[in-house]
């Protein structure tokens, strides 16, 4: 008799965005004439920049000719892309990351989940609360969470670090020391950020306690304030304690194309049970080479073109477009009397739901009365209760219409 991985039985319901998609499909089936506006999952709507499409098309044509055809590429990514990432995303910001510390992949979601393969299953995990559900669910699957407490909506072995309006969305250093700490800034779902001194506290804490920081900076391209760090490696000493995840999904419209990368610094060490130091770079390289065959050549050429002069200009226009949507949402909701957070350095707006409603009740009200889809805060963790997330990734027309509709139902 074969056995299943029983950790999966500890997972709650389905993945948040699948639950929402099911509810929306049901509503549409019962109300076929209603035009639903989706500002729920953070999926982009702007087409891929012309310079990027051109590079991808050229690469596709190369694949059709015997003299330029390519089979398997290097699992870690082609040098042409790793060099560009090292130069543009790090060196130009005064950070020294070597190209071979960069591992190109098919998504930050996958990387954030897969990284657990090289980490001990008895590590204590800390997540900020609310949080992008992937960090939690992948640790439940790996058996690091312990049992679920349905009354409190928490797992017994996970350290939840609240980030709410009460602490200005700056999570406090936990008293019980975790081994693995997930941080996402600019934050999904709250759209808030940390300053360099605030982030430095986490780096120092991790160093002092021999913890590992898993830093998701998928939304760094949306930062406009000068004092907000784009990378954790802007903080001295971070290369000794942190892995960073980045993605082309939101930056360059690659949610359907799939390309991202993880940075595993060569001097970053983990520990065996008896305290022996082991370099994580070698472990991740081994894992990547064994379980992954690399991102396709045309997609890596497309990602490379993101860094061209034209590509940079074009993706920045798209980012500006989305941040204008964020402004429309933020200002519109504030005028309607809502308390709103985020939306200035991130494409997410986090609002307080009207008094007396839970975040799922507000979800239902918005869907039924305004035909607008957002994401209930509690889906991101217990401290998300009473909040609601809207994304700025819709079209401008839909964003404006959604805000008008919301104004009319409150
Ligand atoms: C979100 O809506 O939180 C994101 O789209 C999820 C993701 O990037 O996987």
């Amino acid at each position: 008799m074969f056995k299943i991985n029983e950790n999966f039985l500890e997972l709650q319901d389905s993945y948040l965005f699948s639950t929402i998609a099911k509810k929306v499909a049901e509503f549409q089936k019962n109300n076929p004439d209603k035009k639903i506006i989706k500002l729920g999952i953070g999926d982009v709507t702007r087409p891929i920049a012309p310079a990027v499409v051109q590079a991808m098309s050229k690469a596709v044509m190369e694949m059709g000719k015997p003299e330029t055809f390519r089979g398997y590429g290097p699992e870690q990514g082609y040098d042409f892309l790793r060099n560009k990432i090292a130069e543009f995303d790090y060196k130009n910001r005064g950070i020294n990351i070597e190209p071979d510390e960069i591992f190109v992949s098919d998504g930050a979601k996958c990387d954030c989940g897969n990284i657990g393969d090289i980490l001990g299953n008895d590590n204590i995990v800390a997540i900020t609360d609310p949080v992008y559900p992937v960090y939690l669910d992948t640790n439940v699957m790996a058996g690091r969470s312990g049992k679920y407490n349905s009354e409190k909506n928490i797992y017994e072995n996970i350290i939840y670090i609240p980030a709410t309006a009460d602490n200005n969305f700056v999570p406090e250093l936990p008293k019980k020391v975790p081994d693995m700490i997930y941080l996402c800034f600019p934050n999904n779902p709250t759209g808030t950020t940390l300053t360099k001194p605030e982030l430095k506290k986490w780096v120092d804490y991790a160093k002092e306690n021999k913890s590992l920081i898993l830093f998701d900076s998928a939304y760094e391209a949306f930062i406009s304030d000068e004092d907000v760090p784009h990378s954790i490696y802007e903080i001295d000493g971070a290369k000794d304690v942190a892995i960073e995840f980045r993605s082309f999904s939101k930056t360059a419209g690659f949610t359907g194309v799939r390309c991202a990368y993880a940075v595993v610094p060569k001097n970053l060490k983990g520990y065996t049970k008896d305290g022996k130091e082991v370099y994580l770079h070698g472990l991740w390289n081994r894992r990547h080479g064994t379980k992954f065959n690399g991102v396709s050549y045309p997609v890596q050429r497309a990602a490379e073109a993101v860094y061209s002069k034209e590509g940079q200009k074009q993706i920045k226009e798209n980012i500006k477009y989305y941040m204008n949507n964020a402004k429309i949402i933020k200002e519109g909701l504030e005028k309607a009397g809502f308390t709103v957070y985020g939306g200035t350095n991130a494409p997410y707006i986090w609002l307080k739901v009207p008094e007396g409603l839970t975040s799922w009740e507000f979800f239902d009200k918005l869907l039924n009365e305004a035909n607008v889809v957002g994401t209930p805060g509690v889906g991101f963790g217990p401290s998300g209760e009473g909040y609601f997330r809207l994304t700025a990734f819709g079209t401008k027309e839909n964003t404006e219409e959604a805000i008008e509709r919301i104004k009319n139902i409150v």
Side-chain angles (χ1 to χ4, degrees):
M1 180 178 74
F2 74 92
K3 311 285 187 310
I4 59 154
N5 176 351
E6 291 191 28
N7 297 325
F8 277 66
L9 305 180
E10 283 300 323
L11 289 166
Q12 296 314 297
D13 294 336
S14 66
Y15 182 60
L16 173 64
F17 296 109
S18 319
T19 310
I20 292 172
K22 255 191 230 145
K23 275 186 171 254
V24 174
E26 174 86 14
F27 177 84
Q28 189 75 89
K29 199 171 130 218
N30 298 333
N31 301 276
D33 54 319
K34 301 277 194 226
K35 184 194 159 207
I36 298 176
I37 299 178
K38 295 181 183 165
L39 303 180
I41 189 162
D43 196 5
V44 292
T45 50
R46 304 290 299 156
I48 292 169
V52 176
V53 172
Q54 215 173 20
M56 184 155 40
S57 311
K58 184 170 168 272
V60 169
M61 297 313 286
E62 284 176 37
M63 295 297 261
K65 294 186 201 137
E67 59 282 14
T68 46
F69 166 77
R70 298 188 188 220
Y72 292 126
E75 293 97 346
Q76 299 81 356
Y78 283 104
D79 284 345
F80 63 75
L81 178 56
R82 296 170 97 192
N83 291 340
K84 282 277 174 0
I85 294 169
E87 182 187 341
F88 281 78
D89 290 347
Y90 294 102
K91 193 161 169 255
N92 288 355
R93 290 195 175 276
I95 304 165
N96 179 28
I97 292 292
E98 298 293 327
D100 63 356
E101 295 179 302
I102 294 161
F103 293 83
V104 177
S105 77
D106 59 348
K109 180 180 184 176
C110 323
D111 285 342
C112 287
N114 292 334
I115 199 73
D117 279 9
I118 63 165
L119 301 169
N121 279 350
D122 50 1
N123 280 333
I124 303 289
V125 173
I127 52 171
T128 53
D129 174 23
V131 79
Y132 177 44
V134 172
Y135 315 144
L136 176 64
D137 285 1
T138 53
N139 279 294
V140 176
M141 290 171 182
R144 294 190 193 99
S145 66
K147 293 274 173 227
Y148 180 65
N149 177 331
S150 58
E151 250 166 61
K152 295 187 176 160
N153 183 20
I154 57 170
Y155 286 88
E156 61 185 7
N157 293 346
I158 300 283
I159 299 175
Y160 291 77
I161 314 169
T164 64
D166 292 341
N167 57 12
N168 216 10
F169 300 96
V170 179
E172 274 173 30
L173 301 172
K175 295 206 173 48
K176 181 175 171 195
V177 175
D179 303 304
M180 294 159 57
I181 304 166
Y182 288 83
L183 295 179
C184 172
F185 289 99
N187 187 253
N188 178 14
T190 64
T192 56
T193 52
L194 292 187
T195 60
K196 270 191 199 171
E198 284 162 351
L199 188 54
K200 183 175 183 311
K201 281 188 196 162
W202 284 94
V203 170
D204 293 347
Y205 176 88
K207 217 169 188 166
E208 196 181 312
N209 294 298
K210 296 190 170 162
S211 311
L212 172 69
I213 297 179
L214 299 151
F215 192 76
D216 185 349
S217 61
Y219 300 96
E220 63 76 33
F222 297 84
I223 294 172
S224 55
D225 288 350
E226 285 293 314
D227 63 338
V228 176
H230 287 247
S231 163
I232 193 163
Y233 304 123
E234 288 179 41
I235 312 296
D236 274 348
K239 284 208 280 184
D240 296 330
V241 293
I243 292 175
E244 180 161 284
F245 303 101
R246 291 264 185 111
S247 168
F248 294 92
S249 284
K250 315 294 159 71
T251 310
F254 275 42
T255 52
V257 173
R258 311 307 308 149
C259 196
Y261 62 88
V263 178
V264 185
K266 276 184 272 188
N267 54 346
L268 174 56
K269 287 177 244 166
Y271 307 90
T272 61
K273 278 199 174 68
D274 49 14
K276 206 173 116 225
E277 293 180 335
V278 179
Y279 289 103
L280 291 191
H281 185 273
L283 301 187
W284 185 242
N285 194 36
R286 186 73 169 85
R287 190 265 169 218
H288 210 69
T290 303
K291 289 197 181 178
F292 189 58
N293 258 335
V295 173
S296 77
Y297 173 68
V299 167
Q300 291 195 60
R301 280 292 185 201
E304 180 194 25
V306 166
Y307 298 101
S308 66
K309 208 166 159 220
E310 273 308 291
Q312 281 291 296
K313 192 168 150 256
Q314 292 162 359
I315 65 156
K316 281 181 182 148
E317 276 160 22
N318 285 344
I319 289 168
K320 206 164 135 201
Y321 177 97
Y322 293 132
M323 290 315 286
N324 185 49
N325 286 348
K327 190 163 176 258
I328 292 169
I329 299 173
K330 201 171 160 72
E331 291 179 359
L333 291 179
E334 274 166 356
K335 270 198 195 121
F338 284 93
T339 305
V340 182
Y341 307 95
T344 47
N345 290 299
Y348 293 120
I349 288 87
W350 188 243
L351 56 122
K352 274 221 88 57
V353 304
E355 204 63 43
L357 292 182
T358 65
S359 51
W360 272 114
E361 282 165 355
F362 188 65
F363 172 90
D364 289 333
K365 181 177 166 71
L366 230 54
L367 179 59
N368 291 313
E369 296 174 26
N371 312 141
V372 171
V373 180
T375 312
V378 73
F380 297 104
S383 296
E385 184 54 282
Y387 293 92
F388 198 78
R389 193 192 78 175
L390 292 173
T391 95
F393 287 125
T395 62
K396 179 169 184 258
E397 296 70 29
N398 278 348
T399 304
E400 283 171 338
E401 192 179 329
I403 296 308
E404 283 314 305
R405 290 192 202 169
I406 295 173
K407 277 183 187 166
N408 289 335
I409 61 151
V410 289

